[in-house]
Amino acid sequence: MRLATFLAPEEADAGAVARQRTGVVDGDDLVDLTDAAVGLPGDMAALLGLGAEAWARAAGASATSARRWGLEEVELLAPVTLPPKVLAIGMNYSAHVAEMGHLDEPGYQPPAHQYWFNKQRTAVTGPSADIVVPAVSSQVDYEGELGVVIGRRAKSVPAARWLDVVAGFTVVNDVSVRDWQAHSPTFTMGKSFDTHCPLGPWIVTPDEVGDVRSLRLRTWVNGELRQDATTADLIFGPDDMIEYLTTAFPLEPGDVLSTGTPSGVGAGFRPPRWLRPGDVVRVEIERVGVLENRVVDGPPAAPPPDPVVGEH
Ligand code: ZN
């Protein structure tokens, strides 16, 4: 099953979150899960949070009289438009660790622990939405990654049971502002600019994806192949990730885990090849889907706010 979030044609310009719909892909159609015949919420995190009964209704929606939309006529949004959390792992493909120069650092040791950081959830944008270059940096980079979407609340999950808590898989572009990323070891600032988390085009359930450690992942910029790898090369797999994360805190329906990027990012070139306005970035993961996002110039930096009046 493939689950999507979308705006219907008459709504596509409005962009109103309140009118977003969820759907299940059936051939070239999307069956509208918010139609009264199915009665599910238009917010994917809320839908997933309803649990097994809602899941069964989604799975059976194609057999109902629910309204259908052609995939070509709707605007696909990120499948989870505002995930409760977006967590991403760094240094999870050896060839990427090498291209970032870490292997040359004196005394470098491969990470003994999983190297997690967070992207602010407000950075999430759609599978064909624009990526904005902020006024404060020109060092904008792409990172094609496999995303895992959590399907139920999960705490203390053993690695062997990881699939029990997964709704499915999606594609992530972990867009990174490299100079701001280097401001602090947490990466948070450089990973969280608006529009810097294209997500989608849908959630594909594990039964359709099959072996998640054998997926070819490719990224192109303006048609030039930059990343070409397989998830077989992940250092830590999603099973290890879910065990590790849920040792410390719960994962919740709609949370997104981004599993790391292979080599071939712009920062790995000498000189670096940053994304520029007008570029088109395409990330494709076999059996999961495609993101294709145009890069655009952001608005100029906002003027400083009025001085705060008062004693300090
Ligand atoms: Zn990344």
Side-chain angles (χ1 to χ4, degrees):
M1 178 164 62
R2 282 179 287 163
L3 291 163
T5 300
F6 67 101
L7 294 177
E10 71 268 25
E11 302 167 345
D13 293 330
V17 171
R19 285 190 285 175
Q20 72 184 36
R21 299 164 188 249
T22 47
V24 62
V25 180
D26 184 22
D28 294 329
D29 290 343
L30 265 173
V31 181
D32 190 340
L33 296 176
T34 68
D35 186 283
V38 185
L40 289 172
D43 176 74
M44 187 68 72
L47 188 162
L48 295 173
L50 291 175
E53 193 266 337
W55 192 258
R57 269 152 70 193
S62 298
T64 70
S65 60
R67 181 160 188 182
R68 288 168 173 264
W69 305 87
L71 268 173
E72 290 302 315
E73 64 177 329
V74 304
E75 178 184 344
L76 289 179
L77 305 176
V80 191
T81 48
L82 193 61
K85 292 188 283 296
V86 180
L87 295 162
I89 191 169
M91 308 300 159
N92 205 32
Y93 286 85
S94 296
H96 175 61
V97 175
E99 75 175 343
M100 297 303 274
H102 298 295
L103 298 187
D104 302 328
E105 292 167 3
Y108 176 79
Q109 299 282 329
H113 301 292
Q114 298 173 32
Y115 196 113
W116 286 97
F117 57 90
N118 74 312
K119 289 176 83 71
Q120 299 303 315
R121 62 192 193 141
T122 42
V124 168
T125 196
S128 55
D130 291 343
I131 295 169
V132 175
V133 175
V136 294
S137 177
S138 58
Q139 297 188 17
V140 178
D141 207 350
Y142 51 87
E143 296 191 348
E145 308 196 5
L146 174 70
V148 178
V149 181
I150 300 300
R152 52 191 270 201
R153 193 171 193 278
K155 185 77 200 295
S156 305
V157 180
R161 295 193 56 195
W162 74 283
L163 264 180
D164 294 355
V165 304
V166 168
F169 303 97
T170 192
V171 186
V172 182
N173 187 346
D174 174 20
V175 178
S176 305
V177 180
R178 297 299 186 194
D179 48 348
W180 280 61
Q181 180 180 337
H183 286 178
S184 75
T186 64
F187 291 3
T188 293
M189 293 303 293
K191 293 287 193 175
S192 296
F193 279 78
D194 289 352
T195 74
H196 286 194
C197 190
L199 192 69
W202 35 56
I203 299 167
V204 188
T205 51
D207 58 301
E208 289 198 15
V209 172
D211 179 10
V212 77
R213 297 299 299 269
S214 71
L215 301 172
R216 189 176 185 189
L217 185 164
R218 285 176 292 177
T219 303
W220 295 260
V221 178
N222 303 329
E224 179 189 332
L225 184 63
R226 296 283 186 88
Q227 297 186 290
D228 188 359
T230 156
T231 54
D233 295 335
L234 287 168
I235 296 171
F236 295 105
D239 50 348
D240 299 322
M241 297 177 186
I242 287 172
E243 176 173 289
Y244 182 68
L245 293 168
T246 65
T247 301
F249 52 79
L251 295 173
E252 298 168 289
D255 279 352
V256 176
L257 311 180
S258 200
T259 59
T261 203
S263 62
V265 300
F269 290 89
R270 300 291 174 268
R273 300 176 71 181
W274 309 125
L275 293 174
R276 295 176 187 285
D279 287 349
V280 175
V281 190
R282 178 185 171 91
V283 183
E284 178 177 327
I285 300 180
E286 180 186 9
R287 303 200 294 277
V288 180
V290 176
L291 302 176
E292 191 165 283
N293 303 87
R294 195 166 58 102
V295 180
V296 302
D297 240 335
D306 293 336
V308 175
V309 177
E311 298 282 325
H312 291 282

